[in-house]
């Protein structure tokens, strides 16, 4: 059995409302990024990062990871949205590995059909140039709209 935890992007999960259906489905089914874990995969918990870093960004991600290691996880996944979007991920991973050397670290939770469309969609969500405001399901279900003059 492998106990796993997932850290996801605050912007995607909290700001844009992702319910993490892809991450959870792949963990439950022991698919793709979860396949290599030994035995049954038990998802212990999920937490977001603490939002985009300040000067103490790394300290904040370590605190979030600690919230999961307190429940005895063997492996930590950085969500696929973090892998696609987070400019701080390399630094986070280095610091998490140093602080929690016993953890197996995995970058990703599920594949994307179209990575570029995902990035473009989230950029539009960050900008919110179209009314009414859109959310991550608009990206996932490919109904997101962009300003006409683009
Ligand atoms: S871009 Fe990186 S630091 Fe910013 S909210 Fe997303 S995961 Fe966190």
């Amino acid at each position: 059995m492998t106990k796993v935890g997932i850290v996801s992007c605050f912007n995607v999960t909290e700001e844009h409302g992702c319910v993490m259906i892809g991450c959870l489905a792949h963990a439950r089914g022991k698919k793709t990024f979860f396949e290599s874990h030994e035995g049954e995969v038990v998802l212990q918990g999920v937490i977001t990062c603490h939002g985009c870093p300040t000067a103490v960004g790394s300290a904040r991600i370590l605190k979030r990871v600690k919230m999961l290691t307190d429940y005895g996880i063997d492996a930590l996944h950085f969500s696929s949205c973090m892998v696609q979007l987070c400019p701080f991920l390399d630094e986070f991973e280095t610091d998490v590995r140093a602080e929690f050397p016993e953890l197996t670290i995995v970058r990703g939770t599920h594949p994307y059909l179209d990575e570029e469309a995902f990035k473009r969609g989230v950029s539009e969500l960050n900008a919110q140039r179209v009314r009414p405001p859109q959310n991550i399901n608009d990206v996932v279900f490919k109904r997101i709209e962009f300003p006409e003059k683009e």
Side-chain angles (χ1 to χ4, degrees):
M1 177 180 78
T2 303
K3 296 179 185 177
V4 306
I6 300 174
V7 180
S8 70
C9 172
F10 177 93
N11 292 342
V12 171
T13 311
E14 297 294 331
E15 287 290 321
H16 304 318
C18 183
V19 298
M20 301 183 71
I21 195 163
C23 301
L24 299 181
H26 281 250
R28 267 199 309 270
K30 202 182 171 189
K31 296 180 193 162
T32 62
F33 294 89
F34 297 87
E35 253 177 37
S36 61
H37 293 311
E38 197 176 317
E40 180 190 2
V41 167
V42 175
L43 181 59
Q44 289 292 84
V46 175
I47 197 164
T48 66
C49 81
H50 214 301
C52 281
T54 60
V56 294
S58 268
R60 298 204 306 176
I61 197 81
L62 293 177
K63 277 189 171 180
R64 303 299 262 192
V65 172
K66 176 79 165 48
M67 300 299 286
L68 292 167
T69 59
D70 280 349
Y71 292 98
I73 60 169
D74 307 299
L76 178 80
H77 285 246
F78 289 116
S79 67
S80 287
C81 59
M82 283 187 86
V83 174
Q84 292 301 316
L85 302 169
C86 182
F88 314 105
L89 186 57
D90 287 343
E91 186 184 337
F92 286 167
E93 182 174 344
T94 299
D95 293 344
V96 170
R97 283 186 185 280
E99 184 78 11
F100 304 99
E102 71 286 359
L103 271 186
T104 298
I105 309 283
V106 181
R107 281 185 177 224
T109 43
H110 63 82
Y112 286 103
L113 291 178
D114 187 339
E115 292 174 2
E116 287 313 310
F118 175 74
K119 287 182 193 171
R120 182 169 180 244
V122 173
S123 290
E124 183 55 37
L125 294 184
N126 289 337
Q128 292 290 349
R129 297 174 296 175
V130 173
R131 294 289 177 269
Q134 304 182 95
N135 58 46
I136 199 74
N137 282 1
D138 296 316
V139 177
V140 172
F141 294 117
K142 298 189 183 339
R143 61 191 182 212
I144 189 155
E145 295 178 21
F146 297 90
E148 285 172 13
K149 287 184 192 169
E150 211 180 32

